[in-house]
Amino acid sequence: MKIYPALFIPVLSFALSCSATRPPKKPFEAYSPAPAPDYSQIYNWSALPGKTDFADQTPPGVSPENQANAAADVFFIHPTTFPNGVAWNANVNDKELNAKTDERAIRHQASVFNHSCRVYAPRYRQMSLGGFYSDDKVSELKALNLAYEDVKSAFQYYLDNYNQGRPIVIAAHSQGSVHGIRLMREFFDGKPLQEKLVAAYLAGWPFQPDTFAYIPVCDSASQTGCVMGWCTWKQGSSPKKDLARFYDGAVTINPLTWQTDTGYVPQSFHAGFLYPNYKKIKSQHQDAQVHNGMLWTNQPFALAPTRNYHVGDYNLFWVDIRNNVELRVNSYQQLHAGR
């Protein structure tokens, strides 16, 4: 599987320090990875329906958390929250790192699904952010493979112990989407489990329409059994020339219409942006336009210091995503009623 350059993986902050992006000093084999997580232990999940966690939260003024009655499950793979290069892969027993993951990624991203889905989000030995900035691509691939093996193990445990034949949403962001793409290819694409797929939300990592042999790209708000992605950039901007080719032709859906056409969609279509403090929703705030593998939108903050809004892929369209998940789950139920 092709690994794209590091600049697609900013840490969950608007600014990156030099230390955060510093790659590990030694090859992968020079480090001893932490033990693999045991997913029969609740501690090794950032979110589970039977556990009190940050995926249970909702900001004011939106549809309430409803996991107990939800008709579908979401398996959510969190983005990179391990910023330094002291090791290639994180330790899932790192309490400080787990708190960061839970308070940022699970609260701000995974919770968007808690009205329509039961939320399952594993901890995993994620590759460090610094690993994406390394010139040692052999070690980078080995570290990503180690992280994926945890994600795969967690998903298999979920299937064996929690799913019970329920419809499944796959959702991820950034590094999580790297693993989500691979998981989809291994478990869903042309496999019996594809019948259970409501949709896949794989944001923050560009991938091509032919990534999957049998799973189509979503192109309507109610379509099911499909996959979507988007990488958010400031309106009118573009990546550097050496990175632009990775976006060219990438799957991009517009979260204001849930279509892939390149027409400009004004702010009046926008359902709601979730502020970083998790206390405020602002509607009709973002416009959006698909442009050459990117999702263009207006500047969310007056002083936003970057053109790449990767960190806001979920927050910028939080209510739009929440509403869409409900629509797709309902559509799936109607299509499969009586089967």
Side-chain angles (χ1 to χ4, degrees):
M1 179 178 170
K2 185 180 291 184
I3 303 301
Y4 294 122
L7 294 183
F8 294 125
I9 311 290
V11 72
L12 292 177
S13 167
F14 276 117
L16 290 173
S17 67
C18 292
S19 61
T21 61
R22 186 177 298 142
K25 295 180 179 180
K26 300 177 183 179
F28 177 83
E29 288 81 1
Y31 296 87
S32 297
D38 176 359
Y39 291 107
S40 69
Q41 301 299 309
I42 292 177
Y43 174 81
N44 289 323
W45 294 84
S46 290
L48 280 176
K51 173 185 176 182
T52 300
D53 52 56
F54 280 92
D56 301 337
Q57 297 190 10
T58 55
V62 302
S63 54
E65 184 271 343
N66 189 39
Q67 292 184 72
N69 301 308
D73 296 339
V74 61
F75 187 83
F76 179 81
I77 311 166
H78 70 73
T80 307
T81 56
F82 181 42
N84 60 56
V86 298
W88 281 97
N89 294 85
N91 187 335
V92 297
N93 293 313
D94 184 333
K95 293 182 179 180
E96 183 177 350
L97 176 62
N98 291 344
K100 182 191 300 183
T101 300
D102 297 348
E103 293 173 12
R104 297 181 181 180
I106 302 306
R107 188 186 193 198
H108 281 265
Q109 297 179 346
S111 70
V112 76
F113 300 96
N114 69 20
H115 178 71
S116 303
C117 302
R118 297 176 183 173
V119 183
Y120 297 85
R123 305 192 190 285
Y124 66 97
R125 290 173 295 177
Q126 59 179 289
M127 189 177 80
S128 72
L129 178 68
F132 287 98
Y133 289 81
S134 175
D135 293 330
D136 184 354
K137 297 305 176 185
V138 173
S139 291
E140 179 183 349
L141 183 58
K142 290 179 178 179
L144 282 172
N145 284 341
L146 179 72
Y148 174 71
E149 287 304 315
D150 286 356
V151 172
K152 176 182 175 180
S153 177
F155 187 67
Q156 188 63 61
Y157 188 88
Y158 155 78
L159 289 177
D160 294 342
N161 296 275
Y162 294 128
N163 174 256
Q164 299 180 340
R166 289 163 55 83
I168 303 171
V169 173
I170 299 294
H173 186 236
S174 198
Q175 180 179 164
S177 290
V178 177
H179 305 311
I181 291 166
R182 189 169 174 183
L183 191 79
M184 292 279 293
R185 293 176 69 175
E186 186 167 353
F187 283 86
F188 291 88
D189 196 23
K191 312 289 176 30
L193 197 60
Q194 185 173 336
E195 182 71 15
K196 294 295 182 182
L197 180 66
V198 176
Y201 296 78
L202 303 176
W205 192 268
F207 62 94
Q208 296 297 315
D210 63 355
T211 298
F212 305 102
Y214 299 97
I215 301 172
V217 174
C218 301
D219 197 28
S220 73
S222 61
Q223 186 179 353
T224 62
C226 56
V227 61
M228 69 201 92
W230 65 96
C231 298
T232 317
W233 285 73
K234 181 179 179 180
Q235 184 84 28
S237 64
S238 60
K240 295 179 181 179
K241 289 183 179 180
D242 58 335
L243 297 178
R245 61 193 177 93
F246 296 103
Y247 286 94
D248 189 24
V251 170
T252 308
I253 200 164
N254 189 324
L256 302 188
T257 62
W258 301 101
Q259 296 176 349
T260 57
D261 67 82
T262 59
Y264 172 80
V265 183
Q267 294 169 323
S268 58
F269 283 74
H270 182 231
F273 163 42
L274 174 61
Y275 274 68
N277 63 11
Y278 205 79
K279 295 180 180 180
K280 184 178 179 181
I281 296 286
K282 187 169 184 178
S283 61
Q284 298 187 1
H285 187 257
Q286 300 299 138
D287 57 3
Q289 183 175 12
V290 173
H291 177 82
N292 197 28
M294 297 174 288
L295 180 69
W296 276 357
T297 188
N298 66 78
Q299 192 163 314
F301 298 108
L303 299 177
T306 180
R307 298 173 301 131
N308 186 347
Y309 297 155
H310 176 89
V311 70
D313 285 326
Y314 274 80
N315 283 63
L316 292 172
F317 307 100
W318 202 90
V319 182
D320 304 85
I321 298 169
R322 190 172 185 82
N323 293 345
N324 184 251
V325 175
E326 181 176 11
L327 177 60
R328 291 189 200 272
V329 170
N330 289 340
S331 295
Y332 182 93
Q333 288 183 286
Q334 293 171 11
L335 287 169
H336 294 79
R339 293 188 186 181

